[in-house]
Amino acid sequence: MTVLKEAMMTEVATSKAPRRASPRQRRYRFALGFAAVLGGIIGGWMVADQPAGRDGVEAAFHGSLSAGFAIGASLFWAVGLAISMTIYHRAIDDHEERAWLWAGLAGWYAFIVPAPVWWVLNRADLAPPADTMLLFLFSMVVNAIVWMWLKFR
Amino acid sequence: MNNKLKVLRAMRNWSQAELADRLDVSRQAVNAIETGKYDPSLPLAFKLARLFHMPIEEIFDDGFEGSNDD
């Protein structure tokens, strides 16, 4: 028990000491930073692309977009995400990899369960047409919740 | 799976963050192993064994009490 108490005290006493990041940690931070910058650029560009007076919800989800922004943002998303996720997966440790795999599976189930249900209900006029982006967002939210739970619980 | 990681760490006066640095994993990974919420991969278990100069089975206990012939 004494040894365990010492372990906890050591954790408190030394956890604030600054440490040099390892190459893996630097790659990890770069991948996350790169993705954040990419998201910021796409978001900022989307706002700048909107005509004056359009409200935020319409701008984000329903309003029309210029062809220039649509092509540019698609390229940024596809190429940028591929680059940042490649770096990310080469930088994460065992624990986070496991969290990512289970989160990915949960996100996949969050898509394959509701998508056909919505589709057949719509064909029977029992639901509006399936909204791809709503399904995508639901899948991403489930993915994020499971990832955070497995990494930080 | 039970393990002695917390005790071994305490004997060396290391924090979770220090052990994580030595293993080049996140602090959350060390915490998850210590609390039994995550069993490390075989390469990470070998890394731990080398770091503490102990066989893997002395660090981790899967609760098996039979003979190797079982």
Side-chain angles (χ1 to χ4, degrees):
Chain A
M1 282 303 286
T2 310
V3 173
L4 288 178
K5 273 184 191 169
E6 280 174 10
M8 285 178 230
M9 288 169 70
T10 306
E11 177 61 26
V12 173
T14 60
S15 59
K16 287 177 185 170
R19 289 178 188 80
R20 245 187 106 159
S22 71
R24 184 195 68 78
Q25 288 170 324
R26 284 199 293 274
R27 281 200 305 274
Y28 182 76
R29 288 170 194 166
F30 176 80
L32 296 187
F34 184 77
V37 169
L38 196 71
I41 290 171
I42 294 175
W45 190 2
M46 190 174 191
V47 170
D49 189 61
Q50 298 298 311
R54 184 180 273 178
D55 71 76
V57 174
E58 192 189 354
F61 297 107
H62 309 295
S64 61
L65 300 165
S66 72
F69 168 76
I71 293 166
S74 299
L75 283 173
F76 261 63
W77 174 261
V79 178
L81 196 67
I83 292 169
S84 66
M85 293 315 291
T86 301
I87 300 167
Y88 171 79
H89 284 291
R90 290 166 68 95
I92 56 176
D93 60 25
D94 275 8
H95 178 242
E96 187 160 341
E97 187 179 34
R98 176 175 166 273
W100 182 267
L101 291 173
W102 279 110
L105 186 64
W108 171 242
Y109 281 131
F111 177 76
I112 65 166
V113 172
V117 171
W118 197 345
W119 184 66
V120 293
L121 288 177
N122 170 250
R123 290 185 65 180
D125 287 331
L126 295 171
D131 187 327
T132 312
M133 285 313 289
L134 209 54
L135 289 166
F136 167 77
L137 286 175
F138 179 61
S139 172
M140 287 293 102
V141 168
V142 170
N143 179 292
I145 289 170
V146 173
W147 182 84
M148 283 193 280
W149 178 63
L150 287 174
K151 180 156 171 73
F152 297 109
R153 67 185 165 142
Chain B
M1 191 180 290
N2 294 323
N3 65 76
K4 297 177 187 165
L5 204 57
K6 199 165 191 171
V7 175
L8 294 169
R9 176 170 67 77
M11 288 165 70
R12 284 152 184 82
N13 216 27
W14 293 342
S15 66
Q16 286 186 343
E18 281 177 294
L19 177 56
D21 281 350
R22 287 167 196 271
L23 296 168
D24 199 20
V25 298
S26 64
R27 193 196 59 77
Q28 289 89 0
V30 170
N31 184 59
I33 296 169
E34 283 189 358
T35 53
K37 289 171 181 163
Y38 160 66
D39 293 330
S41 67
L42 206 49
L44 184 54
F46 271 108
K47 215 169 177 179
L48 279 161
R50 275 195 295 273
L51 184 65
F52 291 116
H53 305 290
M54 294 170 80
I56 289 175
E57 60 269 31
E58 279 188 31
I59 302 174
F60 295 94
D61 175 18
D62 67 350
F64 179 69
E65 291 178 354
S67 72
N68 285 335
D69 298 331
D70 290 347

